[in-house]
mmCIF file of all heavy atoms in Angstrom:
data_model
loop_
_atom_site.group_PDB
_atom_site.id
_atom_site.type_symbol
_atom_site.label_atom_id
_atom_site.label_comp_id
_atom_site.label_asym_id
_atom_site.label_seq_id
_atom_site.Cartn_x
_atom_site.Cartn_y
_atom_site.Cartn_z
ATOM 1 N N SER A 502 25.776 -4.664 -31.966
ATOM 2 C CA SER A 502 26.910 -5.576 -31.851
ATOM 3 C C SER A 502 27.530 -5.430 -30.462
ATOM 4 O O SER A 502 27.472 -4.349 -29.862
ATOM 5 C CB SER A 502 27.950 -5.222 -32.921
ATOM 6 O OG SER A 502 29.151 -5.909 -32.677
ATOM 7 N N ALA A 503 28.094 -6.539 -29.983
ATOM 8 C CA ALA A 503 28.714 -6.485 -28.648
ATOM 9 C C ALA A 503 29.997 -5.666 -28.679
ATOM 10 O O ALA A 503 30.379 -5.059 -27.682
ATOM 11 C CB ALA A 503 29.013 -7.899 -28.157
ATOM 12 N N VAL A 504 30.669 -5.668 -29.836
ATOM 13 C CA VAL A 504 31.907 -4.871 -29.965
ATOM 14 C C VAL A 504 31.781 -3.974 -31.199
ATOM 15 O O VAL A 504 30.926 -4.209 -32.049
ATOM 16 C CB VAL A 504 33.151 -5.798 -30.119
ATOM 17 C CG1 VAL A 504 33.372 -6.602 -28.854
ATOM 18 C CG2 VAL A 504 32.991 -6.719 -31.320
ATOM 19 N N LEU A 506 32.351 -2.301 -34.781
ATOM 20 C CA LEU A 506 32.701 -2.871 -36.082
ATOM 21 C C LEU A 506 33.708 -1.952 -36.766
ATOM 22 O O LEU A 506 33.624 -0.722 -36.653
ATOM 23 C CB LEU A 506 31.453 -2.997 -36.960
ATOM 24 C CG LEU A 506 30.299 -3.854 -36.424
ATOM 25 C CD1 LEU A 506 29.184 -3.934 -37.476
ATOM 26 C CD2 LEU A 506 30.752 -5.236 -36.066
ATOM 27 N N GLN A 510 34.260 -3.879 -41.934
ATOM 28 C CA GLN A 510 33.163 -4.767 -41.552
ATOM 29 C C GLN A 510 31.814 -4.089 -41.818
ATOM 30 O O GLN A 510 30.863 -4.728 -42.278
ATOM 31 C CB GLN A 510 33.283 -5.140 -40.066
ATOM 32 C CG GLN A 510 34.355 -6.199 -39.799
ATOM 33 C CD GLN A 510 34.579 -6.414 -38.310
ATOM 34 O OE1 GLN A 510 34.390 -5.490 -37.512
ATOM 35 N NE2 GLN A 510 35.023 -7.601 -37.950
ATOM 36 N N ARG A 513 31.094 -4.231 -45.549
ATOM 37 C CA ARG A 513 30.707 -5.585 -46.004
ATOM 38 C C ARG A 513 29.341 -5.971 -45.436
ATOM 39 O O ARG A 513 28.536 -6.615 -46.102
ATOM 40 C CB ARG A 513 31.772 -6.594 -45.566
ATOM 41 C CG ARG A 513 33.031 -6.483 -46.456
ATOM 42 C CD ARG A 513 34.028 -7.588 -46.177
ATOM 43 N NE ARG A 513 34.693 -7.424 -44.909
ATOM 44 C CZ ARG A 513 34.631 -8.281 -43.901
ATOM 45 N NH1 ARG A 513 33.927 -9.394 -44.024
ATOM 46 N NH2 ARG A 513 35.261 -8.058 -42.780
ATOM 47 N N LEU A 514 29.103 -5.540 -44.193
ATOM 48 C CA LEU A 514 27.800 -5.861 -43.593
ATOM 49 C C LEU A 514 26.669 -5.148 -44.325
ATOM 50 O O LEU A 514 25.608 -5.732 -44.582
ATOM 51 C CB LEU A 514 27.794 -5.456 -42.102
ATOM 52 C CG LEU A 514 26.512 -5.754 -41.340
ATOM 53 C CD1 LEU A 514 26.131 -7.233 -41.416
ATOM 54 C CD2 LEU A 514 26.652 -5.338 -39.871
ATOM 55 N N ALA A 517 26.084 -7.005 -47.403
ATOM 56 C CA ALA A 517 25.425 -8.288 -47.132
ATOM 57 C C ALA A 517 23.947 -8.075 -46.847
ATOM 58 O O ALA A 517 23.085 -8.835 -47.322
ATOM 59 C CB ALA A 517 26.106 -8.970 -45.947
ATOM 60 N N LEU A 518 23.641 -7.034 -46.065
ATOM 61 C CA LEU A 518 22.230 -6.759 -45.737
ATOM 62 C C LEU A 518 21.458 -6.327 -46.980
ATOM 63 O O LEU A 518 20.287 -6.700 -47.154
ATOM 64 C CB LEU A 518 22.139 -5.671 -44.651
ATOM 65 C CG LEU A 518 22.563 -6.115 -43.242
ATOM 66 C CD1 LEU A 518 22.647 -4.913 -42.298
ATOM 67 C CD2 LEU A 518 21.596 -7.149 -42.675
ATOM 68 N N ASN A 520 22.111 -7.288 -49.921
ATOM 69 C CA ASN A 520 21.921 -8.515 -50.691
ATOM 70 C C ASN A 520 20.777 -9.355 -50.106
ATOM 71 O O ASN A 520 19.953 -9.916 -50.829
ATOM 72 C CB ASN A 520 23.226 -9.315 -50.678
ATOM 73 C CG ASN A 520 23.120 -10.553 -51.556
ATOM 74 O OD1 ASN A 520 22.742 -10.435 -52.721
ATOM 75 N ND2 ASN A 520 23.418 -11.719 -50.998
ATOM 76 N N ALA A 521 20.733 -9.400 -48.757
ATOM 77 C CA ALA A 521 19.725 -10.248 -48.105
ATOM 78 C C ALA A 521 18.332 -9.658 -48.201
ATOM 79 O O ALA A 521 17.341 -10.396 -48.348
ATOM 80 C CB ALA A 521 20.108 -10.452 -46.637
ATOM 81 N N THR A 522 18.235 -8.324 -48.136
ATOM 82 C CA THR A 522 16.897 -7.709 -48.097
ATOM 83 C C THR A 522 16.467 -7.137 -49.443
ATOM 84 O O THR A 522 15.297 -6.804 -49.624
ATOM 85 C CB THR A 522 16.872 -6.561 -47.065
ATOM 86 O OG1 THR A 522 17.858 -5.584 -47.446
ATOM 87 C CG2 THR A 522 17.196 -7.070 -45.668
ATOM 88 N N GLY A 523 17.416 -6.988 -50.333
ATOM 89 C CA GLY A 523 17.075 -6.401 -51.630
ATOM 90 C C GLY A 523 16.917 -4.898 -51.551
ATOM 91 O O GLY A 523 16.327 -4.286 -52.447
ATOM 92 N N PRO A 534 26.498 -4.097 -25.218
ATOM 93 C CA PRO A 534 27.097 -5.248 -24.520
ATOM 94 C C PRO A 534 26.078 -6.331 -24.182
ATOM 95 O O PRO A 534 26.456 -7.484 -23.985
ATOM 96 C CB PRO A 534 27.662 -4.623 -23.237
ATOM 97 C CG PRO A 534 27.840 -3.195 -23.557
ATOM 98 C CD PRO A 534 26.747 -2.840 -24.511
ATOM 99 N N ILE A 537 26.108 -9.619 -25.998
ATOM 100 C CA ILE A 537 27.161 -10.561 -25.549
ATOM 101 C C ILE A 537 28.146 -10.881 -26.667
ATOM 102 O O ILE A 537 29.352 -10.719 -26.537
ATOM 103 C CB ILE A 537 26.577 -11.875 -24.971
ATOM 104 C CG1 ILE A 537 25.693 -11.555 -23.753
ATOM 105 C CG2 ILE A 537 27.714 -12.823 -24.547
ATOM 106 C CD1 ILE A 537 25.030 -12.768 -23.149
ATOM 107 N N GLY A 538 27.623 -11.366 -27.809
ATOM 108 C CA GLY A 538 28.492 -11.683 -28.947
ATOM 109 C C GLY A 538 27.656 -11.757 -30.202
ATOM 110 O O GLY A 538 26.440 -11.930 -30.129
ATOM 111 N N GLY A 539 28.289 -11.596 -31.392
ATOM 112 C CA GLY A 539 27.526 -11.639 -32.637
ATOM 113 C C GLY A 539 26.821 -10.326 -32.912
ATOM 114 O O GLY A 539 27.160 -9.283 -32.328
ATOM 115 N N ILE A 540 25.790 -10.392 -33.786
ATOM 116 C CA ILE A 540 25.128 -9.171 -34.276
ATOM 117 C C ILE A 540 23.618 -9.410 -34.363
ATOM 118 O O ILE A 540 23.181 -10.520 -34.682
ATOM 119 C CB ILE A 540 25.679 -8.808 -35.685
ATOM 120 C CG1 ILE A 540 27.114 -8.271 -35.558
ATOM 121 C CG2 ILE A 540 24.786 -7.803 -36.395
ATOM 122 C CD1 ILE A 540 27.792 -8.038 -36.891
ATOM 123 N N ALA A 542 20.669 -7.507 -36.532
ATOM 124 C CA ALA A 542 20.407 -6.474 -37.533
ATOM 125 C C ALA A 542 18.911 -6.365 -37.768
ATOM 126 O O ALA A 542 18.220 -7.372 -37.919
ATOM 127 C CB ALA A 542 21.109 -6.826 -38.835
ATOM 128 N N ILE A 549 17.346 -9.894 -38.295
ATOM 129 C CA ILE A 549 18.282 -11.013 -38.502
ATOM 130 C C ILE A 549 19.118 -11.114 -37.238
ATOM 131 O O ILE A 549 19.903 -10.207 -36.934
ATOM 132 C CB ILE A 549 19.174 -10.770 -39.734
ATOM 133 C CG1 ILE A 549 18.292 -10.489 -40.967
ATOM 134 C CG2 ILE A 549 20.070 -11.972 -40.001
ATOM 135 C CD1 ILE A 549 19.065 -9.969 -42.163
ATOM 136 N N GLY A 551 21.804 -12.891 -35.012
ATOM 137 C CA GLY A 551 22.916 -13.827 -34.886
ATOM 138 C C GLY A 551 23.651 -13.583 -33.576
ATOM 139 O O GLY A 551 24.875 -13.717 -33.517
ATOM 140 N N ILE A 553 24.671 -13.995 -29.521
ATOM 141 C CA ILE A 553 24.836 -15.018 -28.481
ATOM 142 C C ILE A 553 23.722 -14.888 -27.443
ATOM 143 O O ILE A 553 23.252 -15.869 -26.902
ATOM 144 C CB ILE A 553 26.217 -14.843 -27.802
ATOM 145 C CG1 ILE A 553 27.329 -15.058 -28.826
ATOM 146 C CG2 ILE A 553 26.373 -15.805 -26.639
ATOM 147 C CD1 ILE A 553 27.407 -16.457 -29.394
ATOM 148 N N ARG A 554 23.277 -13.624 -27.244
ATOM 149 C CA ARG A 554 22.211 -13.370 -26.271
ATOM 150 C C ARG A 554 20.969 -14.216 -26.592
ATOM 151 O O ARG A 554 20.419 -14.898 -25.726
ATOM 152 C CB ARG A 554 21.848 -11.880 -26.300
ATOM 153 C CG ARG A 554 20.634 -11.453 -25.540
ATOM 154 C CD ARG A 554 20.926 -11.271 -24.073
ATOM 155 N NE ARG A 554 20.856 -12.519 -23.336
ATOM 156 C CZ ARG A 554 21.473 -12.762 -22.182
ATOM 157 N NH1 ARG A 554 22.254 -11.849 -21.648
ATOM 158 N NH2 ARG A 554 21.345 -13.899 -21.578
ATOM 159 N N LEU A 557 21.597 -17.921 -26.091
ATOM 160 C CA LEU A 557 21.559 -18.250 -24.658
ATOM 161 C C LEU A 557 20.121 -18.274 -24.135
ATOM 162 O O LEU A 557 19.742 -19.153 -23.357
ATOM 163 C CB LEU A 557 22.369 -17.223 -23.863
ATOM 164 C CG LEU A 557 23.875 -17.404 -23.871
ATOM 165 C CD1 LEU A 557 24.536 -16.272 -23.096
ATOM 166 C CD2 LEU A 557 24.262 -18.736 -23.252
ATOM 167 N N VAL A 560 18.564 -21.452 -25.093
ATOM 168 C CA VAL A 560 19.039 -22.559 -24.244
ATOM 169 C C VAL A 560 18.341 -22.509 -22.888
ATOM 170 O O VAL A 560 17.857 -23.517 -22.364
ATOM 171 C CB VAL A 560 20.570 -22.481 -24.067
ATOM 172 C CG1 VAL A 560 21.039 -23.470 -23.006
ATOM 173 C CG2 VAL A 560 21.271 -22.762 -25.384
ATOM 174 N N LYS A 561 18.227 -21.277 -22.340
ATOM 175 C CA LYS A 561 17.588 -21.124 -21.023
ATOM 176 C C LYS A 561 16.122 -21.526 -21.080
ATOM 177 O O LYS A 561 15.612 -22.162 -20.170
ATOM 178 C CB LYS A 561 17.701 -19.667 -20.564
ATOM 179 C CG LYS A 561 19.081 -19.298 -20.080
ATOM 180 C CD LYS A 561 19.088 -17.845 -19.648
ATOM 181 C CE LYS A 561 20.495 -17.396 -19.344
ATOM 182 N NZ LYS A 561 20.586 -15.957 -19.095
ATOM 183 N N LEU A 564 15.911 -25.115 -20.976
ATOM 184 C CA LEU A 564 16.186 -25.606 -19.617
ATOM 185 C C LEU A 564 14.937 -25.488 -18.742
ATOM 186 O O LEU A 564 14.687 -26.320 -17.884
ATOM 187 C CB LEU A 564 17.316 -24.788 -18.986
ATOM 188 C CG LEU A 564 18.727 -25.180 -19.370
ATOM 189 C CD1 LEU A 564 19.728 -24.171 -18.793
ATOM 190 C CD2 LEU A 564 19.067 -26.562 -18.846
ATOM 191 N N ARG B 923 12.736 -26.400 -10.342
ATOM 192 C CA ARG B 923 13.177 -26.482 -11.735
ATOM 193 C C ARG B 923 13.563 -25.091 -12.251
ATOM 194 O O ARG B 923 14.578 -24.913 -12.920
ATOM 195 C CB ARG B 923 12.048 -27.072 -12.582
ATOM 196 C CG ARG B 923 12.578 -27.875 -13.726
ATOM 197 C CD ARG B 923 11.586 -28.770 -14.426
ATOM 198 N NE ARG B 923 10.208 -28.558 -14.105
ATOM 199 C CZ ARG B 923 9.417 -29.508 -13.627
ATOM 200 N NH1 ARG B 923 9.888 -30.708 -13.384
ATOM 201 N NH2 ARG B 923 8.146 -29.274 -13.405
ATOM 202 N N ILE B 926 16.841 -24.075 -10.731
ATOM 203 C CA ILE B 926 17.949 -24.788 -11.397
ATOM 204 C C ILE B 926 18.211 -24.168 -12.763
ATOM 205 O O ILE B 926 19.353 -23.932 -13.161
ATOM 206 C CB ILE B 926 17.608 -26.289 -11.542
ATOM 207 C CG1 ILE B 926 17.645 -26.955 -10.157
ATOM 208 C CG2 ILE B 926 18.576 -26.988 -12.488
ATOM 209 C CD1 ILE B 926 17.076 -28.354 -10.143
ATOM 210 N N SER B 927 17.079 -23.870 -13.449
ATOM 211 C CA SER B 927 17.211 -23.275 -14.779
ATOM 212 C C SER B 927 17.903 -21.920 -14.700
ATOM 213 O O SER B 927 18.781 -21.600 -15.499
ATOM 214 C CB SER B 927 15.814 -23.133 -15.384
ATOM 215 O OG SER B 927 15.890 -22.416 -16.564
ATOM 216 N N ARG B 928 17.470 -21.124 -13.675
ATOM 217 C CA ARG B 928 18.060 -19.780 -13.526
ATOM 218 C C ARG B 928 19.557 -19.885 -13.231
ATOM 219 O O ARG B 928 20.378 -19.191 -13.855
ATOM 220 C CB ARG B 928 17.354 -19.038 -12.383
ATOM 221 C CG ARG B 928 17.678 -17.559 -12.294
ATOM 222 C CD ARG B 928 17.027 -16.940 -11.084
ATOM 223 N NE ARG B 928 17.558 -17.475 -9.840
ATOM 224 C CZ ARG B 928 18.740 -17.150 -9.320
ATOM 225 N NH1 ARG B 928 19.521 -16.269 -9.942
ATOM 226 N NH2 ARG B 928 19.155 -17.681 -8.192
ATOM 227 N N SER B 930 21.488 -22.409 -13.864
ATOM 228 C CA SER B 930 22.177 -22.945 -15.044
ATOM 229 C C SER B 930 22.407 -21.851 -16.068
ATOM 230 O O SER B 930 23.487 -21.733 -16.658
ATOM 231 C CB SER B 930 21.356 -24.063 -15.683
ATOM 232 O OG SER B 930 21.086 -25.053 -14.743
ATOM 233 N N GLY B 931 21.339 -21.020 -16.257
ATOM 234 C CA GLY B 931 21.447 -19.911 -17.212
ATOM 235 C C GLY B 931 22.553 -18.958 -16.815
ATOM 236 O O GLY B 931 23.358 -18.532 -17.651
ATOM 237 N N ALA B 932 22.563 -18.617 -15.512
ATOM 238 C CA ALA B 932 23.598 -17.696 -15.036
ATOM 239 C C ALA B 932 24.986 -18.308 -15.228
ATOM 240 O O ALA B 932 25.930 -17.607 -15.635
ATOM 241 C CB ALA B 932 23.361 -17.383 -13.554
ATOM 242 N N ILE B 934 25.836 -20.553 -17.469
ATOM 243 C CA ILE B 934 26.139 -20.559 -18.907
ATOM 244 C C ILE B 934 26.573 -19.167 -19.354
ATOM 245 O O ILE B 934 27.554 -18.994 -20.079
ATOM 246 C CB ILE B 934 24.920 -21.038 -19.709
ATOM 247 C CG1 ILE B 934 24.675 -22.519 -19.433
ATOM 248 C CG2 ILE B 934 25.119 -20.810 -21.202
ATOM 249 C CD1 ILE B 934 23.336 -23.015 -19.942
ATOM 250 N N ASP B 935 25.812 -18.142 -18.892
ATOM 251 C CA ASP B 935 26.158 -16.754 -19.208
ATOM 252 C C ASP B 935 27.611 -16.464 -18.837
ATOM 253 O O ASP B 935 28.377 -15.909 -19.632
ATOM 254 C CB ASP B 935 25.256 -15.807 -18.396
ATOM 255 C CG ASP B 935 24.159 -15.234 -19.268
ATOM 256 O OD1 ASP B 935 23.922 -15.796 -20.348
ATOM 257 O OD2 ASP B 935 23.565 -14.225 -18.848
ATOM 258 N N VAL B 938 30.075 -18.399 -20.991
ATOM 259 C CA VAL B 938 30.146 -17.860 -22.363
ATOM 260 C C VAL B 938 30.879 -16.523 -22.376
ATOM 261 O O VAL B 938 31.747 -16.280 -23.208
ATOM 262 C CB VAL B 938 28.724 -17.725 -22.948
ATOM 263 C CG1 VAL B 938 28.750 -16.929 -24.253
ATOM 264 C CG2 VAL B 938 28.129 -19.098 -23.189
ATOM 265 N N ARG B 939 30.529 -15.636 -21.426
ATOM 266 C CA ARG B 939 31.148 -14.312 -21.396
ATOM 267 C C ARG B 939 32.674 -14.419 -21.203
ATOM 268 O O ARG B 939 33.430 -13.694 -21.839
ATOM 269 C CB ARG B 939 30.556 -13.467 -20.256
ATOM 270 C CG ARG B 939 29.209 -12.875 -20.591
ATOM 271 C CD ARG B 939 28.655 -12.095 -19.405
ATOM 272 N NE ARG B 939 27.243 -11.804 -19.547
ATOM 273 C CZ ARG B 939 26.761 -10.768 -20.222
ATOM 274 N NH1 ARG B 939 27.580 -9.938 -20.822
ATOM 275 N NH2 ARG B 939 25.460 -10.576 -20.311
ATOM 276 N N LEU B 942 34.426 -15.615 -24.373
ATOM 277 C CA LEU B 942 34.357 -14.795 -25.593
ATOM 278 C C LEU B 942 35.568 -13.853 -25.671
ATOM 279 O O LEU B 942 35.548 -12.750 -25.130
ATOM 280 C CB LEU B 942 33.058 -13.980 -25.606
ATOM 281 C CG LEU B 942 31.817 -14.715 -26.114
ATOM 282 C CD1 LEU B 942 30.590 -13.816 -25.981
ATOM 283 C CD2 LEU B 942 31.972 -15.109 -27.587
ATOM 284 N N ASP B 944 38.399 -11.542 -27.952
ATOM 285 C CA ASP B 944 38.266 -10.636 -29.102
ATOM 286 C C ASP B 944 38.231 -11.422 -30.406
ATOM 287 O O ASP B 944 37.454 -11.102 -31.327
ATOM 288 C CB ASP B 944 39.452 -9.662 -29.126
ATOM 289 C CG ASP B 944 39.295 -8.597 -28.041
ATOM 290 O OD1 ASP B 944 38.170 -8.499 -27.491
ATOM 291 O OD2 ASP B 944 40.287 -7.900 -27.745
ATOM 292 N N GLN B 947 34.876 -12.883 -30.849
ATOM 293 C CA GLN B 947 33.912 -11.841 -31.239
ATOM 294 C C GLN B 947 34.040 -11.541 -32.733
ATOM 295 O O GLN B 947 33.030 -11.448 -33.451
ATOM 296 C CB GLN B 947 34.170 -10.546 -30.436
ATOM 297 C CG GLN B 947 33.838 -10.639 -28.951
ATOM 298 C CD GLN B 947 32.345 -10.525 -28.679
ATOM 299 O OE1 GLN B 947 31.536 -10.595 -29.605
ATOM 300 N NE2 GLN B 947 31.982 -10.412 -27.412
ATOM 301 N N GLN B 948 35.251 -11.358 -33.171
ATOM 302 C CA GLN B 948 35.472 -11.058 -34.600
ATOM 303 C C GLN B 948 34.991 -12.213 -35.470
ATOM 304 O O GLN B 948 34.394 -12.002 -36.532
ATOM 305 C CB GLN B 948 36.966 -10.781 -34.860
ATOM 306 C CG GLN B 948 37.472 -9.502 -34.194
ATOM 307 C CD GLN B 948 36.658 -8.278 -34.610
ATOM 308 O OE1 GLN B 948 36.324 -8.116 -35.803
ATOM 309 N NE2 GLN B 948 36.323 -7.436 -33.658
ATOM 310 N N LEU B 950 32.605 -14.304 -34.768
ATOM 311 C CA LEU B 950 31.133 -14.274 -34.781
ATOM 312 C C LEU B 950 30.625 -13.230 -35.780
ATOM 313 O O LEU B 950 29.674 -13.464 -36.527
ATOM 314 C CB LEU B 950 30.601 -13.954 -33.376
ATOM 315 C CG LEU B 950 30.691 -15.083 -32.342
ATOM 316 C CD1 LEU B 950 30.421 -14.549 -30.932
ATOM 317 C CD2 LEU B 950 29.674 -16.180 -32.674
ATOM 318 N N ILE B 951 31.270 -12.040 -35.769
ATOM 319 C CA ILE B 951 30.854 -10.971 -36.682
ATOM 320 C C ILE B 951 31.072 -11.394 -38.139
ATOM 321 O O ILE B 951 30.198 -11.228 -38.998
ATOM 322 C CB ILE B 951 31.621 -9.665 -36.357
ATOM 323 C CG1 ILE B 951 31.150 -9.123 -35.002
ATOM 324 C CG2 ILE B 951 31.427 -8.625 -37.447
ATOM 325 C CD1 ILE B 951 32.041 -8.034 -34.421
ATOM 326 N N GLU B 952 32.244 -11.954 -38.401
ATOM 327 C CA GLU B 952 32.543 -12.381 -39.775
ATOM 328 C C GLU B 952 31.578 -13.476 -40.233
ATOM 329 O O GLU B 952 31.100 -13.460 -41.370
ATOM 330 C CB GLU B 952 33.995 -12.890 -39.864
ATOM 331 C CG GLU B 952 35.046 -11.808 -39.685
ATOM 332 C CD GLU B 952 34.929 -10.693 -40.722
ATOM 333 O OE1 GLU B 952 34.457 -10.959 -41.853
ATOM 334 O OE2 GLU B 952 35.279 -9.541 -40.413
ATOM 335 N N PHE B 954 28.568 -13.869 -39.197
ATOM 336 C CA PHE B 954 27.262 -13.253 -39.423
ATOM 337 C C PHE B 954 27.219 -12.589 -40.792
ATOM 338 O O PHE B 954 26.267 -12.760 -41.569
ATOM 339 C CB PHE B 954 26.976 -12.217 -38.322
ATOM 340 C CG PHE B 954 25.640 -11.542 -38.442
ATOM 341 C CD1 PHE B 954 24.486 -12.139 -37.949
ATOM 342 C CD2 PHE B 954 25.519 -10.305 -39.073
ATOM 343 C CE1 PHE B 954 23.260 -11.512 -38.076
ATOM 344 C CE2 PHE B 954 24.296 -9.682 -39.206
ATOM 345 C CZ PHE B 954 23.156 -10.283 -38.695
ATOM 346 N N ILE B 955 28.309 -11.832 -41.104
ATOM 347 C CA ILE B 955 28.339 -11.121 -42.386
ATOM 348 C C ILE B 955 28.306 -12.135 -43.544
ATOM 349 O O ILE B 955 27.555 -11.971 -44.516
ATOM 350 C CB ILE B 955 29.602 -10.227 -42.477
ATOM 351 C CG1 ILE B 955 29.510 -9.090 -41.451
ATOM 352 C CG2 ILE B 955 29.774 -9.658 -43.870
ATOM 353 C CD1 ILE B 955 30.807 -8.293 -41.285
ATOM 354 N N SER B 956 29.071 -13.202 -43.389
ATOM 355 C CA SER B 956 29.117 -14.203 -44.457
ATOM 356 C C SER B 956 27.758 -14.871 -44.637
ATOM 357 O O SER B 956 27.265 -15.049 -45.758
ATOM 358 C CB SER B 956 30.135 -15.297 -44.110
ATOM 359 O OG SER B 956 31.387 -14.717 -43.931
ATOM 360 N N LYS B 957 27.146 -15.189 -43.494
ATOM 361 C CA LYS B 957 25.868 -15.891 -43.551
ATOM 362 C C LYS B 957 24.783 -15.013 -44.159
ATOM 363 O O LYS B 957 24.003 -15.424 -45.011
ATOM 364 C CB LYS B 957 25.469 -16.275 -42.113
ATOM 365 C CG LYS B 957 24.419 -17.344 -42.046
ATOM 366 C CD LYS B 957 24.256 -17.765 -40.580
ATOM 367 C CE LYS B 957 23.021 -18.588 -40.411
ATOM 368 N NZ LYS B 957 22.803 -18.925 -38.991
ATOM 369 N N VAL B 958 24.756 -13.717 -43.730
ATOM 370 C CA VAL B 958 23.743 -12.781 -44.272
ATOM 371 C C VAL B 958 24.015 -12.528 -45.742
ATOM 372 O O VAL B 958 23.095 -12.485 -46.561
ATOM 373 C CB VAL B 958 23.753 -11.462 -43.462
ATOM 374 C CG1 VAL B 958 22.862 -10.420 -44.127
ATOM 375 C CG2 VAL B 958 23.286 -11.720 -42.045
ATOM 376 N N GLY B 959 25.290 -12.376 -46.084
ATOM 377 C CA GLY B 959 25.641 -12.094 -47.479
ATOM 378 C C GLY B 959 25.273 -13.252 -48.381
ATOM 379 O O GLY B 959 24.931 -13.055 -49.559
ATOM 380 N N ALA B 960 25.332 -14.447 -47.826
ATOM 381 C CA ALA B 960 25.025 -15.642 -48.645
ATOM 382 C C ALA B 960 23.539 -15.862 -48.791
ATOM 383 O O ALA B 960 23.092 -16.578 -49.690
ATOM 384 C CB ALA B 960 25.677 -16.855 -48.034
ATOM 385 N N SER B 961 22.772 -15.262 -47.904
ATOM 386 C CA SER B 961 21.318 -15.514 -47.959
ATOM 387 C C SER B 961 20.647 -14.544 -48.905
ATOM 388 O O SER B 961 21.048 -13.391 -49.007
ATOM 389 C CB SER B 961 20.724 -15.371 -46.557
ATOM 390 O OG SER B 961 20.865 -14.046 -46.131
ATOM 391 N N ARG B 962 19.603 -14.979 -49.568
ATOM 392 C CA ARG B 962 18.848 -14.086 -50.480
ATOM 393 C C ARG B 962 17.456 -14.637 -50.641
ATOM 394 O O ARG B 962 17.321 -15.787 -51.026
ATOM 395 C CB ARG B 962 19.569 -13.996 -51.830
ATOM 396 C CG ARG B 962 18.801 -13.209 -52.876
ATOM 397 C CD ARG B 962 18.719 -11.731 -52.536
ATOM 398 N NE ARG B 962 18.105 -10.985 -53.648
ATOM 399 C CZ ARG B 962 17.094 -10.167 -53.490
ATOM 400 N NH1 ARG B 962 16.562 -9.967 -52.329
ATOM 401 N NH2 ARG B 962 16.599 -9.492 -54.524
#
Side-chain angles (χ1 to χ4, degrees):
Chain A
S502 169
V504 294
L506 301 184
Q510 283 172 331
R513 284 188 288 119
L514 181 56
L518 288 171
N520 184 52
T522 59
I537 300 178
I540 288 173
I549 306 169
I553 297 295
R554 170 82 276 156
L557 281 177
V560 170
K561 285 180 188 172
L564 279 173
Chain B
R923 212 166 12 237
I926 289 169
S927 172
R928 191 184 65 76
S930 304
I934 291 168
D935 257 17
V938 169
R939 281 178 195 276
L942 277 176
D944 285 347
Q947 291 282 12
Q948 293 304 317
L950 286 168
I951 291 167
E952 292 301 331
F954 181 83
I955 293 170
S956 301
K957 198 172 167 184
V958 172
S961 65
R962 174 68 173 128

